[in-house]
């Protein structure tokens, strides 16, 4: 089933002994575009930390689809150095980009140089041979395979009322730096401007 990143950020994670927290971001491998971790705001039970949960270790709780069940306990999370990262001083709200920087620090230290966070991709510019067509508004995730299937691009400034779905494999280049740009040669237009999960109406190469 496909869900947007916005949908996933409404989910909470339940441990075997209570609430772990709410999903605030996704970590993905920028080579395969697979989700490596769900990033959870632990709140008051583990202040100053983001909890990293592997998506293959959770399942939807049938009575309430807004809850994901984890096989881990809070104690297991706390004692595992790989299961959490600092989010700054506990008494302060994490600043913008703090998670992105924390994940990159972890990636470099742990040999996972290809880790990125989903929030970092939001707002990226999409360039084609015709120039800039819009900016990434959301991300569509397959929550069975836990892989990013599409970038949802707002093209209001170019094509009124249209949003474009771009699959990661259609990207010819990605700049994970201050330029914040994706380059693509293929686009596919949604049937409805407000529904990221409608079927694709057409796909075409840039002229």
């Amino acid at each position: 089933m496909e869900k947007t990143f916005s949908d996933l950020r409404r989910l909470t994670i339940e441990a075997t002994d209570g609430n772990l927290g709410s999903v605030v971001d996704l970590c993905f491998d920028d080579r395969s575009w697979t989700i490596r971790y769900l990033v959870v705001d632990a709140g008051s039970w583990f202040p100053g930390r983001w909890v990293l949960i592997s998506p293959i270790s959770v399942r939807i709780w049938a009575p309430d689809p807004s809850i994901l069940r984890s096989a881990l306990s809070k104690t297991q999370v706390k004692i595992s150095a790989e299961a959490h990262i600092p989010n700054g001083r506990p008494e302060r709200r994490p600043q913008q980009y703090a998670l992105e920087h924390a994940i990159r620090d972890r990636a470099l230290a742990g040999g996972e140089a290809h880790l990125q966070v989903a929030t970092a991709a939001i707002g990226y510019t999409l360039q084609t041979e015709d120039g800039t067509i819009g900016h990434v508004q959301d991300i569509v995730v397959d929550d069975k395979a836990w892989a990013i299937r599409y970038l949802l691009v707002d093209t209001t400034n170019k094509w009124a009322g249209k949003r474009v779905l771009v699959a990661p494999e259609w990207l010819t280049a990605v700049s994970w730096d201050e330029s914040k740009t994706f380059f693509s040669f293929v686009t596919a237009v949604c049937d409805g401007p407000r529904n990221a999960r409608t079927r694709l109406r057409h796909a075409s190469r840039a002229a």
Side-chain angles (χ1 to χ4, degrees):
M1 183 176 178
E2 290 179 349
K3 286 186 171 68
T4 63
F5 177 40
S6 299
D7 293 333
L8 293 171
R9 293 181 78 180
R10 298 187 183 100
L11 299 179
T12 57
I13 308 284
E14 287 283 340
T16 58
D17 54 354
N19 193 319
L20 276 179
S22 56
V23 176
V24 293
D25 216 325
L26 308 173
C27 290
F28 65 94
D29 187 311
D30 63 19
R31 297 164 299 180
S32 62
W33 293 76
T34 54
I35 307 300
R36 293 287 307 280
Y37 305 107
L38 305 174
V39 183
V40 178
D41 181 357
S44 60
W45 76 268
F46 201 7
R49 311 297 290 185
W50 282 300
V51 172
L52 305 180
I53 300 294
S54 170
I56 63 174
S57 69
V58 299
R59 59 183 176 83
I60 293 175
W61 188 44
D64 187 347
S66 70
I67 295 176
L68 294 175
R69 290 283 193 184
S70 171
L72 299 173
S73 69
K74 291 181 178 180
T75 300
Q76 287 175 305
V77 169
K78 276 192 172 184
I79 65 176
S80 172
E82 295 182 354
H84 51 82
I85 54 176
N87 66 9
R89 294 175 63 183
E91 67 272 19
R92 295 182 179 178
R93 289 177 59 86
Q95 296 180 351
Q96 188 180 16
Y97 309 123
L99 176 58
E100 182 180 354
H101 294 155
I103 288 296
R104 287 186 177 172
D105 289 345
R106 174 197 171 96
L108 291 173
E112 297 179 285
H114 292 276
L115 275 186
Q116 305 291 342
V117 291
T119 49
I122 302 299
Y124 259 57
T125 299
L126 182 70
Q127 290 268 9
T128 70
E129 293 176 1
D130 296 324
T132 299
I133 67 168
H135 298 84
V136 176
Q137 183 182 67
D138 212 334
I139 294 170
V140 181
V141 176
D142 181 336
D143 67 354
K144 297 299 182 186
W146 287 106
I148 294 174
R149 296 303 185 206
Y150 299 103
L151 304 171
L152 180 63
V153 180
D154 180 2
T155 63
T156 300
N157 292 335
K158 188 172 181 68
W159 302 313
K162 293 295 182 184
R163 296 193 298 177
V164 168
L165 291 172
V166 177
E169 59 265 29
W170 299 343
L171 300 177
T172 55
V174 177
S175 296
W176 296 112
D177 54 29
E178 277 118 13
S179 67
K180 296 184 178 293
T181 305
F182 294 131
F183 300 89
S184 175
F185 60 85
V186 180
T187 59
V189 179
C190 282
D191 286 334
R194 292 184 175 85
N195 188 353
R197 289 166 289 178
T198 53
R199 62 185 176 85
L200 302 186
R201 184 153 58 89
H202 70 265
S204 60
R205 289 181 180 272

